[in-house]
Amino acid sequence: MSKTTKDRLNPVKSILVSQPKPTDEKSPYFQLAEKYNIKIDFRPFIQVEPVSIKDFRKQKIDILKHTAIIFTSRNAIDHFFTICKELKVEMPADMKYFCISEQTAHYLQKYIVIRKRKLFVGQKTASDLFDYFKKHKSEKYLFPCSDIRKEDIPTYLSKANIAYTEAIIYHTVAADLSDLRNIKYDILAFFSPSGIKSLKQNFPDFQQNNTRIAAFGPTTAKEVLDQGLILDIEAPMPNAPSMTGALELYIKKANNL
């Protein structure tokens, strides 16, 4: 929390989380809402649109010339295999897969039979995969991604002189939030620079006033400040590794608990 937010510790009664509503009943967001008697709503500020086969072909990518595929999200998996289906491309049995997390690897089983010898899984972040890339430098990697993506994986592969091809398979665009125009929340929680840009795109005349903004990750925090907004809550922090943890610490201060 920055120095400019000390006088902004007004009581918190409502939070809008710019993500889909969790499907897990034990989500910490639901626990937070119940514990502090706070209204928490969920609404994605961004949405994804698939790249057409025509536009994919313009990238002149031969999928089967690659020996390994990097997946960092469920969206990437869904859109990649949709393209493969339309192009009638079948994954060879010896194709290797590098997944950013266990959840992503588990989701991959929706499309292929997983074998341990061809699956490499990180804990949660892209950097978890770097050791695997180093051990498998001779692979020809395909990185299916959005037109808006983090730089960490391409930067690492380039610096390590590892062959890779970036394939844009979907676009990240602002969702229509026009129905929220006259609805006010005490806190807006963001998880990507795209979410902040969507807020400004939907509401060019947005006045922050007493609305507190929470940001997860350094790039999201930077975008908040770049847009001339006040950053009230930042995560992850040593004492709050999750967004819900950071929100809870703030609520305790703001609500004098």
Side-chain angles (χ1 to χ4, degrees), residues 6 27 47 50 58 67 69 92 106 122 140 152 154 164 214 225 232 236 246:
K6 283 184 178 179
S27 166
Q47 62 189 40
K58 287 178 183 176
T67 59
I69 303 174
H106 181 74
K140 295 178 180 176
D152 38 17
Y164 78 97
L225 301 175
D232 299 275

Side-chain angles (χ1 to χ4, degrees), residues 92-97 114-120 136:
D94 60 351
M95 181 69 79
K96 293 183 175 70
Y97 301 91
I114 296 290
R115 296 186 184 90
K116 283 186 179 180
R117 63 181 175 82
K118 65 176 182 180
L119 182 65
F120 306 90
H136 299 270

Side-chain angles (χ1 to χ4, degrees), residues 42-211:
F42 301 87
R43 179 67 177 273
F45 274 42
I46 56 176
Q47 62 189 40
V48 298
E49 295 179 351
V51 165
S52 67
I53 288 297
K54 181 181 178 182
D55 286 340
F56 180 77
R57 284 197 170 111
K58 287 178 183 176
Q59 297 179 60
K60 297 181 179 177
I61 294 170
D62 187 339
I63 293 171
L64 296 180
K65 278 191 175 179
H66 299 82
T67 59
I69 303 174
I70 303 166
F71 286 122
T72 57
S73 70
R74 292 184 179 189
N75 279 324
I77 292 172
D78 283 336
H79 292 297
F80 175 75
F81 282 100
T82 296
I83 284 173
C84 286
K85 185 177 180 181
E86 291 191 40
L87 294 176
K88 295 182 170 59
V89 170
E90 286 195 25
M91 292 296 101
D94 60 351
M95 181 69 79
K96 293 183 175 70
Y97 301 91
F98 294 75
C99 295
I100 198 166
S101 66
E102 287 284 356
Q103 292 92 333
T104 309
H106 181 74
Y107 192 74
L108 183 57
Q109 295 181 65
K110 180 179 176 181
Y111 294 96
I112 63 164
V113 176
I114 296 290
R115 296 186 184 90
K116 283 186 179 180
R117 63 181 175 82
K118 65 176 182 180
L119 182 65
F120 306 90
V121 184
Q123 294 298 312
K124 195 173 184 181
T125 65
S127 59
D128 296 332
L129 295 175
F130 293 172
D131 282 342
Y132 289 128
F133 296 154
K134 195 183 297 182
K135 291 175 184 174
H136 299 270
K137 289 191 73 168
S138 62
E139 303 294 342
K140 295 178 180 176
Y141 291 90
L142 181 64
F143 180 30
C145 58
S146 166
D147 55 329
I148 299 174
R149 51 104 181 109
K150 293 181 179 178
E151 298 287 341
D152 38 17
I153 288 177
T155 297
Y156 177 84
L157 294 173
S158 295
K159 285 183 177 179
N161 291 316
I162 296 173
Y164 78 97
T165 305
E166 192 172 307
I168 306 300
I169 56 170
Y170 62 98
H171 297 294
T172 303
V173 299
D176 180 4
L177 306 174
S178 54
D179 58 307
L180 296 178
R181 180 170 296 278
N182 297 314
I183 301 174
K184 304 296 182 185
Y185 289 89
D186 294 319
I187 296 176
L188 302 178
F190 293 96
F191 300 82
S192 71
S194 301
I196 304 291
K197 289 173 181 173
S198 175
L199 172 71
K200 297 294 279 190
Q201 187 173 324
N202 274 276
F203 311 112
D205 55 349
F206 174 76
Q207 298 293 319
Q208 187 172 356
N209 299 321
N210 289 323
T211 301

